[in-house]
Amino acid sequence: MTLRHWYGTGEVPLSTRMPVPEVTAHMQQALDDLDYPANLRSMRPVVLPQSSYEELFTATRRVLGLLRRALLASAPDPLGRMAALGVPEERYPLWVDSPWEVDYATCMARPDITVTADGPKFLEMNVGSGIGGVVETHVNSSAWQTVFGGADRAPFTGYDPLSARAGLFSRAAREFGVTPAVAVVGTLRDLGSVRTTRYFDLQVTAFRRHGLRAEFFEPEDLLDGLGLPGTQRYALGLRHLTVYDWTRLGLDLSPIRAALDEGCVLLAPQSAYLIANKQVLGWISEGLPWMTEDDRAVVDRYVPWTRVVGDRPAEWRGITKSIPDLLLAHPGEFVLKPGLGLGGHGVVFGRSSDETTWHDAVTHAVRTGGYIAQEHLDSVPHRMELTAEDGSGTYEDDVFPLLSPYLFDGRPAGCLVRYLPPGRDGLISVQGTGALPSIAVAARS
């Protein structure tokens, strides 16, 4: 595999593109008042060869399947799986004793993937209904098509996350034998400085466009909106939340718990967030007894060296030492991550830490448990056309994208992209470090 083979050139024909000032104005309007800020610097999406674009989804499906099996094999029930991960039960108050808790555990997923000289590598797998960027990926896809002359003329194509997610709920309605209707459960308080309900309105509109009745409910309005107590108006819901975020905001989870107790199916279930724990990625990286040669080949190809941190031996590049000694001896080669971390919180890079900071981070990880150590990967660049900060025009420069393909019900559902502006290095986070959000698409043949 060569860099050019996987990333391609990134070039797109410009004959149908709007003039640059119009591109900026159009993207600003299209991406206004969403959870992510508008990226007004990038003058095209990340355009991949069709084979590379499709590989993102096929690889995600394979790795997600291994993570699912690893979590379910760790114990026969959710409480046992929490114990296997060493996580407190109070962090997972919304699980249900029902087959759908497991059946739909991986119905929504989005990994974070970096591209190295050896191809794409999975840094983590976000699983659950609270994964970010879904709406922005949908809007970006439509906006970039317009910039390049419309869906039929644009020199690229891609999947749409809101359409794929609607398909998931249509399938769930058929399976449960209920009215095709979706209660979108979320809160504007989790979105920062938005001015309107546009973020949730777009999701409701997408469900309706695909034949599903839909409404948005804040937590205080949920039970009345569902028709509880009494005859349920909605038997299905999109749980657009994480327990962590709502607890941080001081929001009451009891309406969600009450809806679940009344039999409302709120997707994704709590078990999704157990599969998302980065320790499970460490399990499959280290290898499990049930894994086949093919399973191990998938892990070797797509998963970097990842281990659950503890005072135990591990082998890395032919060296066998205790994990703490290995990390302290080679700080520039590793990253420490909390298993339950969100948005990069608690991540420590050995190569950018001084000796004391790294030693303390390793000591803390060993003492408290729940951390992984992951080999630090060097990403390869992608050439991007960007607007100059002084407004003097556009120029080409290298960026290092983090690719996040969505799967809904196992179906490809578009690809979120984030990258730091040229000249910056470190953690890639839209809200935390000012990364530029965009999308990846496939070059039209």
Side-chain angles (χ1 to χ4, degrees):
M1 176 186 297
T2 65
L3 171 59
R4 179 171 293 275
H5 174 263
W6 201 90
Y7 256 142
T9 64
E11 297 176 355
V12 294
L14 300 181
S15 58
T16 61
R17 191 175 75 178
M18 296 175 177
V20 169
E22 292 182 27
V23 173
T24 302
H26 173 72
M27 297 303 289
Q28 185 169 32
Q29 181 180 27
L31 297 166
D32 182 47
D33 205 29
L34 299 178
D35 189 25
Y36 287 175
N39 171 10
L40 303 180
R41 294 200 60 194
S42 303
M43 288 294 101
R44 61 175 180 255
V46 172
V47 182
L48 303 174
Q50 184 75 41
S51 60
S52 299
Y53 185 67
E54 294 295 342
E55 183 182 5
L56 292 173
F57 302 105
T58 56
T60 298
R61 194 177 295 111
R62 291 298 308 275
V63 173
L64 181 62
L66 293 174
L67 294 173
R68 173 191 171 89
R69 183 172 177 187
L71 187 279
L72 297 182
S74 68
D77 56 67
L79 293 179
R81 293 162 197 153
M82 294 177 207
L85 288 166
V87 297
E89 295 176 19
E90 58 267 23
R91 292 198 182 186
Y92 299 88
L94 300 179
W95 69 276
V96 295
D97 186 14
S98 173
W100 69 265
E101 175 73 36
V102 169
D103 293 346
Y104 284 81
T106 52
C107 67
M108 305 181 194
R110 190 212 76 194
D112 288 341
I113 299 173
T114 190
V115 179
T116 72
D118 296 322
K121 301 290 184 182
F122 286 65
L123 302 181
E124 63 180 82
M125 183 73 75
N126 302 283
V127 190
S129 46
I131 52 179
V134 176
V135 175
E136 288 81 2
T137 299
H138 165 79
V139 175
N140 258 295
S141 299
S142 176
W144 280 120
Q145 286 177 348
T146 299
V147 165
F148 282 88
D152 294 334
R153 300 180 66 192
F156 46 77
T157 186
Y159 299 105
D160 177 54
L162 295 189
S163 295
R165 195 172 65 183
L168 159 66
F169 279 90
S170 294
R171 196 266 288 184
R174 292 191 300 270
E175 180 171 311
F176 289 105
V178 299
T179 301
V182 182
V184 179
V185 186
T187 180
L188 294 174
R189 286 160 285 184
D190 197 22
L191 300 180
S193 59
V194 296
R195 307 183 306 277
T196 69
T197 58
R198 183 186 181 220
Y199 179 84
F200 289 108
D201 293 342
L202 285 165
Q203 300 182 66
V204 167
T205 298
F207 281 126
R208 291 175 178 174
R209 189 170 60 246
H210 288 84
L212 293 146
R213 178 163 52 85
E215 291 180 80
F216 164 61
F217 299 108
E218 290 275 355
E220 296 85 356
D221 304 322
L222 177 61
L223 296 181
D224 284 343
L226 295 178
L228 297 174
T231 303
Q232 283 191 357
R233 298 179 60 240
Y234 290 93
L236 291 174
L238 169 64
R239 196 167 74 188
H240 200 298
L241 63 97
T242 67
V243 171
Y244 171 84
D245 284 330
W246 277 29
T247 300
R248 174 178 55 83
L249 292 168
L251 296 176
D252 184 8
L253 288 165
S254 62
I256 312 295
R257 183 69 261 176
L260 291 168
D261 291 342
E262 290 290 333
C264 186
V265 175
L266 298 178
L267 300 178
Q270 190 81 95
S271 290
Y273 300 93
L274 297 177
I275 295 171
N277 191 306
K278 298 178 189 68
Q279 294 181 86
V280 186
L281 193 70
W283 294 351
I284 68 168
S285 174
E286 190 164 357
L288 294 166
W290 50 262
M291 291 174 66
T292 65
E293 288 187 13
D294 186 50
D295 294 335
R296 295 175 191 275
V298 169
V299 171
D300 288 344
R301 180 170 181 178
Y302 292 115
V303 179
W305 187 98
T306 306
R307 296 293 184 270
V308 176
V309 175
D311 192 4
R312 59 191 183 87
E315 190 275 335
W316 171 78
R317 295 187 183 178
I319 303 169
T320 299
K321 288 185 176 182
S322 74
I323 290 177
D325 288 345
L326 188 62
L327 299 180
L328 293 173
H330 305 275
E333 303 296 336
F334 297 104
V335 182
L336 278 172
K337 301 179 181 182
L340 297 176
L342 295 171
H345 298 299
V347 175
V348 182
F349 292 86
R351 66 178 55 181
S352 58
S353 300
D354 59 49
E355 185 176 351
T356 299
T357 299
W358 182 246
H359 182 276
D360 290 348
V362 172
T363 301
H364 175 77
V366 174
R367 184 179 68 251
T368 60
Y371 277 75
I372 63 162
Q374 193 169 75
E375 188 169 24
H376 192 119
L377 300 178
D378 292 316
S379 304
V380 293
H382 178 73
R383 203 70 174 168
M384 178 56 62
E385 182 186 5
L386 299 155
T387 56
E389 292 188 73
D390 62 4
S392 60
T394 70
Y395 67 101
E396 297 272 337
D397 208 339
D398 288 338
V399 296
F400 296 85
L402 193 64
L403 305 173
S404 296
Y406 294 97
L407 283 186
F408 290 121
D409 209 19
R411 295 174 53 198
C415 185
L416 172 70
V417 171
R418 288 149 292 162
Y419 41 80
L420 294 172
R424 290 181 51 193
D425 190 20
L427 185 72
I428 297 176
S429 168
V430 173
Q431 309 290 16
T433 59
L436 304 174
S438 188
I439 58 169
V441 291
R444 197 186 296 274
S445 56

